[in-house]
Coordinates of all heavy atoms in Angstrom, one line a residue:
S269 N -3.3 -3.2 18.7 CA -3.1 -3.3 17.3 C -4.0 -4.4 16.8 O -4.4 -5.3 17.4 CB -1.6 -3.7 17.1 OG -1.4 -5.0 16.9
V270 N -4.4 -4.2 15.5 CA -5.3 -5.1 14.8 C -4.5 -6.1 14.0 O -3.6 -5.8 13.3 CB -6.2 -4.3 13.9 CG1 -7.1 -5.2 13.1 CG2 -7.0 -3.3 14.7
A271 N -4.8 -7.4 14.2 CA -4.2 -8.5 13.4 C -4.9 -8.5 12.0 O -6.1 -8.5 11.9 CB -4.4 -9.8 14.1
R272 N -4.1 -8.4 11.0 CA -4.6 -8.4 9.6 C -4.2 -9.7 8.9 O -3.2 -10.3 9.1 CB -4.0 -7.2 8.9 CG -4.3 -5.9 9.5 CD -4.0 -4.8 8.5 NE -4.1 -3.5 9.0 CZ -5.2 -2.8 9.2 NH1 -6.4 -3.4 8.9 NH2 -5.2 -1.6 9.6
K273 N -5.0 -10.1 8.0 CA -4.8 -11.2 7.1 C -4.2 -10.6 5.8 O -4.9 -10.0 5.1 CB -6.0 -12.0 6.8 CG -5.7 -13.2 6.0 CD -7.0 -14.1 5.8 CE -6.6 -15.3 4.9 NZ -7.8 -16.1 4.7
Y274 N -2.9 -10.8 5.6 CA -2.3 -10.3 4.4 C -2.6 -11.1 3.2 O -2.7 -12.4 3.2 CB -0.8 -10.3 4.6 CG -0.3 -9.3 5.6 CD1 0.5 -9.8 6.7 CD2 -0.6 -8.0 5.6 CE1 0.9 -8.9 7.7 CE2 -0.2 -7.1 6.6 CZ 0.5 -7.6 7.6 OH 1.0 -6.7 8.6
S275 N -2.8 -10.5 2.0 CA -3.2 -11.2 0.8 C -2.0 -11.3 -0.2 O -2.0 -12.1 -1.0 CB -4.4 -10.5 0.1 OG -4.0 -9.1 -0.2
S276 N -1.0 -10.4 0.0 CA 0.1 -10.5 -0.9 C 1.3 -9.8 -0.2 O 1.1 -8.9 0.7 CB -0.2 -9.8 -2.2 OG 0.9 -9.8 -3.1
S277 N 2.5 -10.1 -0.5 CA 3.7 -9.5 0.0 C 4.7 -9.2 -1.1 O 4.7 -9.9 -2.1 CB 4.3 -10.4 1.1 OG 3.5 -10.6 2.2
G278 N 5.5 -8.2 -0.8 CA 6.6 -7.8 -1.8 C 7.6 -7.0 -1.1 O 7.7 -6.9 0.1
V279 N 8.4 -6.3 -2.0 CA 9.5 -5.5 -1.4 C 9.6 -4.2 -2.2 O 9.2 -4.1 -3.3 CB 10.9 -6.2 -1.5 CG1 11.0 -7.4 -0.7 CG2 11.3 -6.5 -2.9
V280 N 10.0 -3.1 -1.4 CA 10.2 -1.8 -2.0 C 11.4 -1.9 -2.9 O 12.4 -2.3 -2.5 CB 10.4 -0.8 -0.9 CG1 10.8 0.6 -1.5 CG2 9.2 -0.6 0.0
E281 N 11.2 -1.4 -4.2 CA 12.2 -1.4 -5.1 C 12.8 0.0 -5.3 O 14.0 0.1 -5.5 CB 11.7 -1.9 -6.5 CG 12.8 -1.9 -7.6 CD 12.2 -2.5 -8.9 OE1 11.3 -1.8 -9.4 OE2 12.7 -3.5 -9.3
R282 N 12.0 1.0 -5.2 CA 12.4 2.4 -5.4 C 11.6 3.3 -4.6 O 10.4 3.1 -4.5 CB 12.4 2.7 -6.9 CG 13.0 4.0 -7.3 CD 13.1 4.1 -8.8 NE 11.8 4.7 -9.2 CZ 11.5 5.0 -10.4 NH1 12.3 4.7 -11.4 NH2 10.4 5.6 -10.7
V283 N 12.2 4.4 -4.1 CA 11.4 5.5 -3.5 C 11.7 6.7 -4.3 O 12.8 7.1 -4.6 CB 12.0 5.7 -2.0 CG1 11.2 6.9 -1.4 CG2 11.9 4.5 -1.2
H284 N 10.6 7.3 -4.8 CA 10.7 8.5 -5.7 C 9.6 9.5 -5.3 O 8.4 9.2 -5.5 CB 10.8 8.2 -7.2 CG 9.7 7.2 -7.6 ND1 8.6 7.6 -8.3 CD2 9.6 5.9 -7.5 CE1 7.8 6.5 -8.6 NE2 8.5 5.5 -8.1
G285 N 10.0 10.6 -4.8 CA 9.0 11.6 -4.3 C 8.2 11.0 -3.2 O 8.7 10.4 -2.3
S286 N 6.8 11.1 -3.4 CA 5.9 10.6 -2.4 C 5.4 9.3 -2.7 O 4.4 8.8 -2.1 CB 4.8 11.6 -2.1 OG 4.1 11.8 -3.3
V287 N 5.9 8.6 -3.8 CA 5.4 7.3 -4.3 C 6.5 6.3 -4.2 O 7.7 6.5 -4.5 CB 4.9 7.5 -5.7 CG1 4.5 6.1 -6.3 CG2 3.8 8.5 -5.8
L288 N 6.1 5.1 -3.8 CA 7.0 3.9 -3.7 C 6.7 3.0 -4.9 O 5.6 2.9 -5.4 CB 6.8 3.1 -2.5 CG 6.9 3.8 -1.1 CD1 6.5 2.9 0.0 CD2 8.2 4.4 -0.9
T289 N 7.8 2.4 -5.4 CA 7.6 1.3 -6.4 C 8.0 0.0 -5.7 O 9.0 0.0 -5.1 CB 8.5 1.6 -7.6 OG1 8.2 2.8 -8.2 CG2 8.3 0.5 -8.7
A290 N 7.1 -0.9 -5.9 CA 7.4 -2.2 -5.2 C 7.1 -3.4 -6.1 O 6.3 -3.3 -7.0 CB 6.5 -2.3 -4.0
I291 N 7.9 -4.4 -5.9 CA 7.7 -5.7 -6.6 C 6.6 -6.4 -5.8 O 6.9 -6.9 -4.7 CB 9.0 -6.5 -6.7 CG1 10.1 -5.7 -7.4 CG2 8.8 -7.9 -7.3 CD1 11.5 -6.3 -7.2
M292 N 5.4 -6.5 -6.4 CA 4.2 -7.0 -5.7 C 3.4 -7.9 -6.7 O 2.8 -7.4 -7.6 CB 3.3 -5.9 -5.2 CG 3.9 -4.9 -4.2 SD 4.0 -5.5 -2.6 CE 2.4 -6.0 -2.2
P293 N 3.4 -9.2 -6.5 CA 2.6 -10.0 -7.3 C 1.1 -10.0 -6.9 O 0.8 -9.8 -5.8 CB 3.1 -11.4 -7.1 CG 3.7 -11.4 -5.7 CD 4.1 -9.9 -5.5
S294 N 0.3 -10.0 -7.9 CA -1.2 -10.2 -7.7 C -1.8 -9.2 -6.8 O -2.5 -9.5 -5.8 CB -1.5 -11.6 -7.2 OG -0.9 -12.6 -8.0
V295 N -1.7 -7.9 -7.1 CA -2.3 -6.9 -6.4 C -3.2 -6.1 -7.3 O -3.1 -6.1 -8.5 CB -1.3 -5.9 -5.7 CG1 -0.5 -6.6 -4.6 CG2 -0.4 -5.2 -6.7
C296 N -4.2 -5.3 -6.7 CA -5.1 -4.5 -7.5 C -5.0 -3.1 -7.0 O -4.7 -2.8 -5.9 CB -6.5 -5.1 -7.4 SG -7.2 -5.1 -5.8
I297 N -5.4 -2.2 -7.9 CA -5.5 -0.8 -7.6 C -6.5 -0.6 -6.5 O -7.6 -1.2 -6.5 CB -5.8 0.1 -8.8 CG1 -4.7 0.1 -9.8 CG2 -6.2 1.5 -8.4 CD1 -4.9 0.8 -11.1
G298 N -6.2 0.2 -5.5 CA -7.1 0.4 -4.3 C -6.7 -0.4 -3.1 O -7.2 -0.2 -2.0
A299 N -5.9 -1.5 -3.3 CA -5.6 -2.3 -2.2 C -4.8 -1.5 -1.1 O -3.9 -0.8 -1.5 CB -4.8 -3.5 -2.6
R300 N -5.1 -1.7 0.1 CA -4.4 -1.1 1.2 C -3.1 -1.9 1.5 O -3.1 -3.1 1.3 CB -5.2 -1.1 2.5 CG -6.5 -0.3 2.3 CD -6.3 1.2 2.6 NE -7.5 1.9 2.6 CZ -8.0 2.5 3.7 NH1 -7.4 2.4 4.9 NH2 -9.2 3.1 3.7
C301 N -2.1 -1.2 2.0 CA -0.9 -2.0 2.3 C -0.2 -1.4 3.5 O -0.4 -0.3 4.0 CB 0.1 -2.0 1.1 SG 0.5 -0.4 0.4
E302 N 0.8 -2.2 4.0 CA 1.6 -1.8 5.1 C 3.1 -1.9 4.7 O 3.4 -3.0 4.1 CB 1.4 -2.6 6.4 CG 0.0 -2.4 7.0 CD -0.3 -3.2 8.2 OE1 0.4 -4.3 8.4 OE2 -1.2 -2.8 8.9
I303 N 3.9 -0.9 5.0 CA 5.3 -1.0 4.7 C 6.0 -1.1 6.0 O 5.9 -0.3 6.9 CB 5.8 0.3 3.9 CG1 5.0 0.5 2.6 CG2 7.3 0.2 3.6 CD1 3.9 1.4 2.7
I304 N 6.8 -2.2 6.1 CA 7.5 -2.5 7.4 C 8.9 -1.8 7.4 O 9.7 -2.2 6.6 CB 7.6 -4.0 7.6 CG1 6.3 -4.7 7.3 CG2 8.2 -4.3 9.0 CD1 5.1 -4.3 8.2
T305 N 9.1 -0.8 8.2 CA 10.4 -0.2 8.4 C 11.1 -0.7 9.7 O 10.4 -1.4 10.4 CB 10.3 1.3 8.4 OG1 9.8 1.8 9.6 CG2 9.5 1.9 7.2
Q306 N 12.3 -0.2 9.9 CA 13.0 -0.7 11.1 C 12.3 -0.1 12.4 O 12.3 -0.7 13.4 CB 14.4 -0.2 11.1 CG 15.2 -1.0 10.1 CD 16.7 -0.6 10.2 OE1 17.1 0.5 10.7 NE2 17.5 -1.4 9.5
N307 N 11.7 1.1 12.3 CA 11.1 1.7 13.4 C 9.6 1.8 13.6 O 9.0 2.0 14.6 CB 11.6 3.2 13.5 CG 13.1 3.3 13.6 OD1 13.7 2.5 14.2 ND2 13.7 4.2 12.8
K308 N 8.9 1.5 12.4 CA 7.5 1.6 12.5 C 6.8 0.9 11.2 O 7.5 0.5 10.3 CB 7.0 3.1 12.5 CG 7.6 3.9 11.3 CD 7.3 5.4 11.5 CE 8.0 6.2 10.4 NZ 7.8 7.6 10.6
I309 N 5.5 0.9 11.3 CA 4.8 0.3 10.1 C 4.0 1.5 9.5 O 3.2 2.2 10.2 CB 3.8 -0.8 10.6 CG1 4.6 -2.0 11.2 CG2 2.9 -1.2 9.4 CD1 3.7 -3.0 11.8
L310 N 4.2 1.7 8.2 CA 3.6 2.8 7.5 C 2.4 2.2 6.7 O 2.4 1.0 6.3 CB 4.5 3.5 6.6 CG 5.8 4.0 7.2 CD1 6.7 4.6 6.2 CD2 5.4 5.1 8.2
T311 N 1.4 3.0 6.5 CA 0.2 2.5 5.7 C 0.2 3.3 4.3 O 0.7 4.4 4.2 CB -1.1 2.8 6.4 OG1 -1.2 4.1 6.8 CG2 -1.1 1.9 7.7
G312 N -0.4 2.6 3.3 CA -0.5 3.2 2.0 C -1.5 2.5 1.2 O -2.3 1.6 1.7
Q313 N -1.6 2.8 -0.1 CA -2.5 2.2 -1.0 C -1.9 2.1 -2.4 O -1.2 3.0 -2.8 CB -3.8 3.1 -1.1 CG -4.9 2.6 -1.8 CD -6.2 3.4 -1.5 OE1 -6.2 4.5 -1.1 NE2 -7.3 2.7 -1.7
I314 N -2.3 1.0 -3.1 CA -1.8 0.8 -4.5 C -2.6 1.8 -5.3 O -3.8 1.8 -5.3 CB -2.1 -0.6 -4.9 CG1 -1.5 -1.7 -4.0 CG2 -1.6 -0.8 -6.4 CD1 0.0 -1.7 -3.9
I315 N -1.8 2.6 -6.1 CA -2.5 3.7 -6.9 C -2.3 3.4 -8.4 O -2.8 4.1 -9.2 CB -2.0 5.1 -6.5 CG1 -0.5 5.2 -6.7 CG2 -2.5 5.4 -5.1 CD1 0.0 6.6 -6.6
G316 N -1.5 2.5 -8.8 CA -1.3 2.2 -10.2 C -0.1 1.2 -10.4 O 0.4 0.6 -9.4
F317 N 0.3 1.1 -11.7 CA 1.3 0.1 -12.0 C 2.3 0.8 -13.0 O 1.8 1.7 -13.8 CB 0.7 -1.1 -12.6 CG -0.2 -1.8 -11.7 CD1 -1.6 -1.7 -11.9 CD2 0.3 -2.7 -10.7 CE1 -2.4 -2.3 -11.0 CE2 -0.6 -3.3 -9.8 CZ -2.0 -3.1 -10.0
E318 N 3.5 0.4 -13.0 CA 4.5 0.9 -14.0 C 5.5 -0.3 -14.2 O 6.2 -0.7 -13.3 CB 5.3 2.1 -13.4 CG 6.3 2.6 -14.3 CD 7.0 3.8 -13.6 OE1 6.5 4.9 -13.7 OE2 8.0 3.6 -12.9
K319 N 5.5 -0.8 -15.4 CA 6.5 -1.8 -15.8 C 6.4 -3.0 -14.9 O 7.3 -3.5 -14.3 CB 7.9 -1.3 -15.9 CG 8.1 -0.3 -16.9 CD 9.5 0.2 -17.0 CE 9.7 1.3 -18.0 NZ 11.0 1.9 -18.0
N320 N 5.2 -3.5 -14.6 CA 4.9 -4.7 -13.8 C 5.3 -4.5 -12.3 O 5.6 -5.4 -11.6 CB 5.6 -5.9 -14.3 CG 5.1 -6.4 -15.7 OD1 3.9 -6.2 -15.9 ND2 6.0 -6.8 -16.5
R321 N 5.3 -3.2 -11.9 CA 5.6 -2.9 -10.5 C 4.4 -2.1 -10.0 O 3.7 -1.4 -10.7 CB 6.9 -2.0 -10.4 CG 8.1 -2.6 -10.9 CD 8.5 -3.9 -10.2 NE 9.9 -4.3 -10.5 CZ 10.2 -5.4 -11.2 NH1 9.2 -6.1 -11.7 NH2 11.4 -5.7 -11.4
A322 N 4.1 -2.3 -8.7 CA 3.0 -1.6 -8.0 C 3.5 -0.2 -7.6 O 4.6 -0.1 -7.0 CB 2.5 -2.4 -6.8
L323 N 2.7 0.8 -7.8 CA 3.0 2.2 -7.3 C 2.1 2.4 -6.1 O 0.9 2.1 -6.1 CB 2.6 3.2 -8.4 CG 3.3 3.1 -9.7 CD1 2.8 4.2 -10.7 CD2 4.8 3.2 -9.5
I324 N 2.8 2.8 -5.0 CA 2.1 2.9 -3.7 C 2.3 4.4 -3.2 O 3.4 4.9 -3.1 CB 2.8 2.0 -2.6 CG1 2.7 0.5 -3.1 CG2 2.1 2.2 -1.3 CD1 3.6 -0.4 -2.3
A325 N 1.1 5.0 -2.9 CA 1.1 6.3 -2.2 C 0.9 6.0 -0.7 O 0.1 5.2 -0.3 CB -0.1 7.1 -2.7
T326 N 1.8 6.6 0.1 CA 1.7 6.3 1.5 C 0.9 7.4 2.2 O 0.8 8.5 1.7 CB 3.1 6.3 2.2 OG1 3.7 7.6 2.0 CG2 4.0 5.2 1.6
Y327 N 0.2 7.0 3.3 CA -0.5 8.0 4.1 C 0.3 8.7 5.1 O -0.1 9.6 5.8 CB -1.7 7.2 4.8 CG -2.6 6.5 3.9 CD1 -3.1 5.3 4.3 CD2 -3.1 7.1 2.8 CE1 -4.0 4.6 3.5 CE2 -4.0 6.4 1.9 CZ -4.4 5.2 2.3 OH -5.3 4.5 1.5
D328 N 1.5 8.2 5.3 CA 2.5 8.6 6.3 C 3.7 9.3 5.6 O 3.9 9.1 4.5 CB 2.9 7.5 7.2 CG 1.8 6.7 7.8 OD1 1.0 7.3 8.5 OD2 1.6 5.5 7.4
E329 N 4.5 10.0 6.4 CA 5.7 10.6 6.0 C 6.7 9.4 5.6 O 6.7 8.4 6.2 CB 6.4 11.4 7.1 CG 7.6 12.1 6.7 CD 8.2 12.9 7.9 OE1 7.4 13.4 8.7 OE2 9.4 13.0 8.0
L330 N 7.4 9.7 4.5 CA 8.3 8.6 3.9 C 9.6 8.5 4.6 O 10.4 7.6 4.2 CB 8.6 8.9 2.4 CG 7.4 8.8 1.5 CD1 7.8 9.2 0.1 CD2 6.9 7.4 1.5
S331 N 9.9 9.2 5.7 CA 11.2 9.0 6.4 C 11.3 7.6 6.9 O 10.4 7.0 7.4 CB 11.3 10.0 7.5 OG 10.4 9.8 8.5
G332 N 12.5 7.0 6.7 CA 12.7 5.7 7.2 C 12.5 4.6 6.2 O 12.8 3.4 6.5
I333 N 11.9 4.9 5.0 CA 11.7 3.9 4.0 C 12.9 3.8 3.1 O 13.5 4.8 2.7 CB 10.4 4.3 3.2 CG1 9.2 4.3 4.0 CG2 10.3 3.3 2.0 CD1 7.9 4.6 3.3
S334 N 13.3 2.6 2.8 CA 14.4 2.3 1.9 C 14.1 1.1 1.1 O 13.2 0.3 1.4 CB 15.7 2.2 2.7 OG 15.6 1.0 3.6
T335 N 14.9 0.9 0.0 CA 14.7 -0.3 -0.8 C 14.9 -1.6 0.0 O 15.7 -1.6 0.9 CB 15.6 -0.2 -2.0 OG1 17.0 -0.2 -1.5 CG2 15.4 1.0 -2.9
G336 N 14.2 -2.6 -0.4 CA 14.3 -3.9 0.2 C 13.4 -4.1 1.4 O 13.3 -5.2 1.9
Q337 N 12.6 -3.1 1.8 CA 11.7 -3.2 2.9 C 10.5 -4.0 2.5 O 10.0 -3.9 1.3 CB 11.4 -1.9 3.6 CG 12.6 -1.3 4.3 CD 12.4 0.0 4.9 OE1 11.8 0.9 4.3 NE2 13.0 0.2 6.1
I338 N 9.9 -4.7 3.4 CA 8.7 -5.6 3.1 C 7.5 -4.7 3.0 O 7.2 -3.8 3.8 CB 8.6 -6.6 4.2 CG1 9.9 -7.5 4.3 CG2 7.4 -7.5 4.0 CD1 10.2 -8.3 3.1
V339 N 6.6 -5.1 2.0 CA 5.3 -4.5 1.9 C 4.3 -5.6 1.9 O 4.5 -6.7 1.2 CB 5.2 -3.8 0.5 CG1 3.8 -3.1 0.4 CG2 6.3 -2.7 0.4
H340 N 3.2 -5.5 2.6 CA 2.1 -6.4 2.7 C 0.8 -5.7 2.2 O 0.6 -4.6 2.7 CB 1.9 -6.9 4.1 CG 3.0 -7.7 4.7 ND1 3.5 -8.9 4.3 CD2 3.8 -7.4 5.8 CE1 4.5 -9.3 5.0 NE2 4.7 -8.4 5.9
T341 N 0.0 -6.4 1.4 CA -1.3 -5.9 1.2 C -2.3 -6.7 1.9 O -2.0 -7.8 2.3 CB -1.7 -5.9 -0.3 OG1 -1.6 -7.3 -0.8 CG2 -0.8 -5.1 -1.2
Y342 N -3.4 -6.1 2.2 CA -4.5 -6.8 3.0 C -5.8 -6.5 2.3 O -6.0 -5.5 1.6 CB -4.4 -6.5 4.5 CG -4.4 -5.0 4.8 CD1 -5.6 -4.3 5.1 CD2 -3.2 -4.4 5.0 CE1 -5.5 -3.0 5.5 CE2 -3.2 -3.0 5.4 CZ -4.3 -2.4 5.6 OH -4.3 -1.0 6.0
N343 N -6.7 -7.4 2.6 CA -8.0 -7.3 1.9 C -8.9 -6.3 2.6 O -9.8 -6.6 3.4 CB -8.7 -8.7 1.9 CG -8.0 -9.6 1.1 OD1 -7.5 -9.3 0.1 ND2 -8.0 -10.9 1.5
E344 N -8.7 -5.0 2.3 CA -9.5 -3.9 2.9 C -9.5 -2.8 1.9 O -8.5 -2.2 1.7 CB -9.0 -3.5 4.2 CG -9.8 -2.4 4.9 CD -9.3 -2.1 6.2 OE1 -9.1 -2.9 7.1 OE2 -9.0 -0.9 6.4
L345 N -10.7 -2.6 1.2 CA -10.8 -1.5 0.2 C -11.6 -0.4 0.8 O -12.4 -0.6 1.7 CB -11.5 -2.0 -1.1 CG -10.7 -3.1 -1.8 CD1 -11.6 -3.6 -3.0 CD2 -9.4 -2.6 -2.3
D346 N -11.5 0.8 0.3 CA -12.3 1.9 0.8 C -13.7 1.7 0.3 O -14.0 1.4 -0.8 CB -11.8 3.3 0.2 CG -10.5 3.7 0.8 OD1 -10.3 3.4 2.0 OD2 -9.7 4.4 0.2
T347 N -14.7 1.9 1.2 CA -16.1 1.9 0.9 C -16.8 3.0 1.5 O -16.3 3.7 2.4 CB -16.7 0.6 1.4 OG1 -16.6 0.5 2.8 CG2 -16.1 -0.7 0.8
S348 N -17.9 3.4 0.9 CA -18.8 4.4 1.4 C -20.2 4.0 1.4 O -20.7 3.3 0.5 CB -18.6 5.7 0.6 OG -17.3 6.2 0.6
N349 N -21.0 4.4 2.4 CA -22.4 4.1 2.5 C -23.1 5.3 1.8 O -22.8 6.5 2.2 CB -22.9 3.9 3.9 CG -22.4 2.6 4.5 OD1 -22.2 1.6 3.8 ND2 -22.1 2.7 5.8
L350 N -24.0 5.1 0.9 CA -24.7 6.2 0.2 C -26.1 6.2 0.7 O -26.8 5.2 0.8 CB -24.7 5.9 -1.3 CG -23.3 5.9 -2.0 CD1 -23.5 5.7 -3.4 CD2 -22.6 7.3 -1.7
G351 N -26.6 7.4 1.0 CA -28.0 7.6 1.4 C -28.9 7.7 0.2 O -28.4 7.7 -1.0
Q352 N -30.2 7.7 0.4 CA -31.1 7.7 -0.7 C -31.0 8.9 -1.6 O -31.1 8.8 -2.8 CB -32.6 7.6 -0.1 CG -33.6 7.4 -1.2 CD -33.4 6.1 -1.9 OE1 -33.0 5.1 -1.3 NE2 -33.7 6.0 -3.2
E353 N -30.5 10.1 -1.0 CA -30.3 11.3 -1.8 C -29.3 11.1 -2.9 O -29.4 11.5 -4.0 CB -29.9 12.5 -0.9 CG -30.9 12.8 0.1 CD -30.9 11.9 1.4 OE1 -29.8 11.4 1.6 OE2 -31.9 11.8 2.1
A354 N -28.2 10.4 -2.6 CA -27.1 10.1 -3.5 C -27.5 9.1 -4.6 O -27.0 9.1 -5.7 CB -25.9 9.7 -2.8
L355 N -28.4 8.2 -4.2 CA -28.8 7.2 -5.1 C -29.9 7.6 -6.1 O -30.1 7.1 -7.2 CB -29.4 6.0 -4.4 CG -28.3 5.3 -3.5 CD1 -29.0 4.2 -2.6 CD2 -27.2 4.7 -4.3
G356 N -30.6 8.7 -5.8 CA -31.6 9.3 -6.7 C -32.9 8.7 -6.6 O -33.7 8.1 -6.8

């Protein structure tokens, strides 16, 4: 397992469909996160905001997620290397 430096922590407030709503201070769209459940750690990404809450899309199945579970964000954003063809 990889040790991560967390940049922010919060809690799951609501689970609706495939998106979680979490109370998360100081996060940005695109930030990666981990949701700590009783049985496993799920991964996701901040995809937006609603009424001062972070919206999180998970990369994993939502089974086992409930309100009150801890969410951590970490400093790792998606990046891509572009070749000369893409740059023009």
Side-chain angles (χ1 to χ4, degrees):
S269 97
V270 176
R272 298 195 190 280
K273 183 177 181 181
Y274 295 122
S275 60
S276 182
S277 296
V279 295
V280 173
E281 181 179 64
R282 191 173 87 177
V283 179
H284 46 102
S286 62
V287 176
L288 306 175
T289 302
I291 302 167
M292 299 283 302
S294 304
V295 294
C296 63
I297 292 176
R300 299 274 187 114
C301 56
E302 294 180 338
I303 302 99
I304 313 300
T305 71
Q306 290 182 345
N307 300 320
K308 57 187 170 184
I309 297 174
L310 304 175
T311 56
Q313 189 167 19
I314 307 293
I315 59 168
F317 301 99
E318 180 180 273
K319 298 180 183 174
N320 297 324
R321 303 295 193 251
L323 302 176
I324 302 169
T326 61
Y327 301 139
D328 307 297
E329 185 179 324
L330 290 179
S331 65
I333 295 180
S334 61
T335 59
Q337 291 177 319
I338 302 298
V339 180
H340 298 292
T341 60
Y342 50 93
N343 294 325
E344 184 177 304
L345 299 174
D346 288 330
T347 60
S348 297
N349 292 323
L350 298 177
Q352 191 60 37
E353 298 82 25
L355 297 174

